[in-house]
């Protein structure tokens, strides 16, 4: 920090619309897209990210460059840093916090459980504490996950379904996050909207996700492992294109009620809402490989094996009626055209520039 840093924070948070948004996880996949979209429409936006090394740090730096070009400054810091958070909330009167920083991925939890506790539990609490103490209090819109539906759910998943059987520590921390956020709504009058994302994909995506490393492995001629369930059951995901998810985030932000604080006569009016942001159309992992083969014009080498118990679920499928009704959410990008956009980006980012990913 310093005078130049202060100036960057202030100019980034300058708003034409009256909305000023802190985007956590801004160097991440969804965060970078959302921050740019908010800035483009005239909102004041400040990014925050700890640039952890869960995956390719160069990709996060490249996303940060995109943000800089769009006029969004990204503060390098951790959501657990209460001093930093309080300083930012003192400097800028955020109307909203779009909280997307988290330890994502289900398999990484097998060996790195603490990372999930640090970011998804302790970090969430630190962030909500800062929001609670801020004046004015911002409305909080944050990313939960389809993984909260766990093992027992019937499909399609609806927000009213039970979420009491998490298949992974990641899912457990997202579920716990929903309960924690709810308590801050009850006690401190924070307006909270939880968005359960379903397998978000697209340009600038996450290298730890299957569609992403499938594309790499097809081009490298490396065999792809496709999981199937017991008795050859198909593994499928409700793949949701990044632009659709970002639109959902923006309308969740626009429809969020103000936080009311714990005192005064408005107490109790702050909202607590949860929405599925999916695509309503599950696609099998095998079909993803077929589409990638066509787009890359390279045949994939497939290896089909039974899914180990690693935290993955067999199937996800969103019922999006509630988000449609209350947020006007309506995904428009089908898997073919979404993957086409991903592949175009992938080839230009990695193929032409030959980065160390290869
Ligand atoms: P991502 O990993 O690309 O982005 C998360 C960003 O947060 C990263 O840049 C990381 O450096 C940052 N971060 C992590 N811990 C932090 C901390 N303690 N302090 C500050 N920054 C921190 O992931 P994404 O795909 O963009 O996911 C965004 C959110 O959506 C996450 O909460 C994730 O759990 C959730 N989600 C994503 C998907 C998906 O398919 N992409 C599905 C369901 C839920």
């Amino acid at each position: 920090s310093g005078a130049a840093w202060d100036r960057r924070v202030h100019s980034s948070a300058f708003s034409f619309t009256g909305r000023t948004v802190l985007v956590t996880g801004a160097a991440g996949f969804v965060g970078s897209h959302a921050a740019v979209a908010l800035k483009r429409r005239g909102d004041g936006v400040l990014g925050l990210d700890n640039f952890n090394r869960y995956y390719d740090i160069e990709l996060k730096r490249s996303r940060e460059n995109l943000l800089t070009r769009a006029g969004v400054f990204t503060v390098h810091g951790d959501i657990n840093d209460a001093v930093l958070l309080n300083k930012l909330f003192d400097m800028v009167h955020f109307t909203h916090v779009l909280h997307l920083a988290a330890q994502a991925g289900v398999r990484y939890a097998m060996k790195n459980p603490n990372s999930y506790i640090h970011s998804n539990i302790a970090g969430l609490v630190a962030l909500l504490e800062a929001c609670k103490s801020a004046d004015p209090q911002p409305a909080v819109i944050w990313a939960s996950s389809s993984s909260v539906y766990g093992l027992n759910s019937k499909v399609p998943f609806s927000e009213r379904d039970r979420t009491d059987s998490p298949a992974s520590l990641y899912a457990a921390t997202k579920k716990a996050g929903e309960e924690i956020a709810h308590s801050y709504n009850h006690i401190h009058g924070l307006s909270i909207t939880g968005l359960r994302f379903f397998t978000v994909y697209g340009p600038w995506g996450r290298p730890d996700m299957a569609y992403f490393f499938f594309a790499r492995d097809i081009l490298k001629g490396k065999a792809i492992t496709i999981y199937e369930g017991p008795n050859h059951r198909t593994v499928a995901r409700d793949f949701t294109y990044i632009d659709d998810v970002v639109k959902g985030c923006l309308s969740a932000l626009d429809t969020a009620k103000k936080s009311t604080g714990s005192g005064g006569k408005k107490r109790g009016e702050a909202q607590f809402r949860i929405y599925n942001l999916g695509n309503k159309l599950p696609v099998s992992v095998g079909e993803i490989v077929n589409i990638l083969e066509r787009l890359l014009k390279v045949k994939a080498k497939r290896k089909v094996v039974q899914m180990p118990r690693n935290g993955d679920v067999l199937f996800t499928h969103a019922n999006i009626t509630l988000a449609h009704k209350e947020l006007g959410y309506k995904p428009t990008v089908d898997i073919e055209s979404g993957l086409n956009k991903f592949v175009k980006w992938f080839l230009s980012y990695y193929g032409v520039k030959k980065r160390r990913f290869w």
Side-chain angles (χ1 to χ4, degrees):
S1 67
W5 188 88
D6 286 15
R7 267 198 307 281
R8 283 193 195 143
V9 168
H10 283 297
S11 73
S12 187
F14 177 78
S15 167
F16 290 100
T17 58
R19 275 181 302 259
T20 313
V21 189
L22 175 66
V23 178
T24 73
F29 170 38
V30 183
S32 55
H33 282 274
V36 169
L38 289 165
K39 192 70 184 175
R40 283 213 181 115
R41 71 178 197 177
D43 291 4
V45 183
L46 184 69
L48 174 67
D49 202 293
N50 71 356
F51 289 81
N52 69 39
R53 288 173 184 271
Y54 168 56
Y55 62 75
D56 187 13
I57 187 87
E58 280 305 317
L59 182 56
K60 293 187 185 180
R61 293 204 182 108
S62 302
R63 296 194 193 113
E64 184 187 25
N65 290 338
L66 285 186
L67 295 176
T68 307
R69 263 178 265 145
V72 177
F73 178 53
T74 311
V75 172
H76 289 225
D78 199 292
I79 49 172
N80 284 281
D81 184 345
V83 174
L84 173 65
L85 287 183
N86 290 334
K87 179 174 174 173
L88 294 177
F89 280 98
D90 279 347
M91 288 176 79
V92 180
H93 288 172
F94 295 107
T95 54
H96 300 81
V97 172
L98 181 58
H99 174 46
L100 302 171
Q103 178 57 57
V106 299
R107 295 173 203 173
Y108 187 68
M110 305 281 274
K111 292 212 170 103
N112 303 277
N114 287 333
S115 177
Y116 292 77
I117 307 305
H118 175 79
S119 293
N120 305 2
I121 305 284
L124 176 68
V125 171
L127 184 81
L128 293 172
E129 278 294 314
C131 293
K132 172 199 98 182
S133 309
D135 184 17
Q137 285 183 333
V140 179
I141 295 87
W142 77 288
S144 180
S145 163
S146 62
S147 65
V148 300
Y149 291 109
L151 296 170
N152 287 342
S153 299
K154 53 181 174 24
V155 286
F157 304 158
S158 131
E159 292 85 346
R160 290 178 306 276
D161 290 351
R162 298 170 63 164
T163 53
D164 56 3
S165 184
S168 65
L169 181 65
Y170 171 69
T173 60
K174 287 293 181 180
K175 167 68 179 162
E178 291 185 351
E179 309 286 4
I180 290 167
H182 206 169
S183 80
Y184 274 79
N185 165 260
H186 281 310
I187 302 172
H188 303 296
L190 278 182
S191 166
I192 310 264
T193 308
L195 303 172
R196 292 176 178 166
F197 296 166
F198 284 69
T199 317
V200 191
Y201 74 100
W204 299 98
R206 261 175 38 210
D208 63 322
M209 292 180 70
Y211 73 93
F212 198 113
F213 58 77
F214 284 173
R216 177 197 60 196
D217 291 348
I218 289 173
L219 288 173
K220 275 182 163 177
K222 196 176 151 197
I224 287 175
T225 304
I226 298 176
Y227 289 143
E228 61 177 23
N231 305 317
H232 304 293
R233 280 181 61 199
T234 305
V235 174
R237 291 283 176 275
D238 200 353
F239 285 89
T240 312
Y241 189 65
I242 180 68
D243 292 1
D244 288 325
V245 170
V246 167
K247 277 187 206 150
C249 292
L250 266 52
S251 51
L253 213 125
D254 294 340
T255 52
K257 288 207 177 120
K258 286 190 173 150
S259 294
T260 56
S262 54
K265 51 181 184 307
K266 280 167 78 186
R267 181 173 183 179
E269 285 171 19
Q271 68 173 17
F272 180 80
R273 307 293 290 151
I274 288 184
Y275 299 104
N276 286 343
L277 292 187
N279 192 44
K280 215 175 67 169
L281 208 74
V283 182
S284 74
V285 178
E287 181 58 17
I288 295 292
V289 177
N290 295 344
I291 299 171
L292 287 173
E293 277 182 320
R294 284 202 295 278
L295 293 170
L296 294 166
K297 301 185 181 68
V298 181
K299 269 240 115 353
K301 292 181 194 143
R302 292 175 173 73
K303 195 169 67 186
V304 180
V305 302
Q306 182 144 352
M307 194 161 79
R309 192 181 284 208
N310 59 9
D312 278 325
V313 296
L314 274 183
F315 213 80
T316 65
H317 182 180
N319 174 327
I320 53 174
T321 313
L322 188 67
H324 178 65
K325 197 169 133 217
E326 298 190 3
L327 305 179
Y329 174 71
K330 200 165 188 253
T332 58
V333 181
D334 63 70
I335 189 73
E336 288 263 0
S337 37
L339 280 178
N340 188 26
K341 288 183 186 168
F342 162 72
V343 162
K344 284 206 170 116
W345 167 80
F346 187 89
L347 290 175
S348 75
Y349 186 77
Y350 290 110
V352 178
K353 294 184 186 160
K354 296 251 189 312
R355 290 170 197 246
R356 68 181 171 80
F357 189 76
W358 297 92

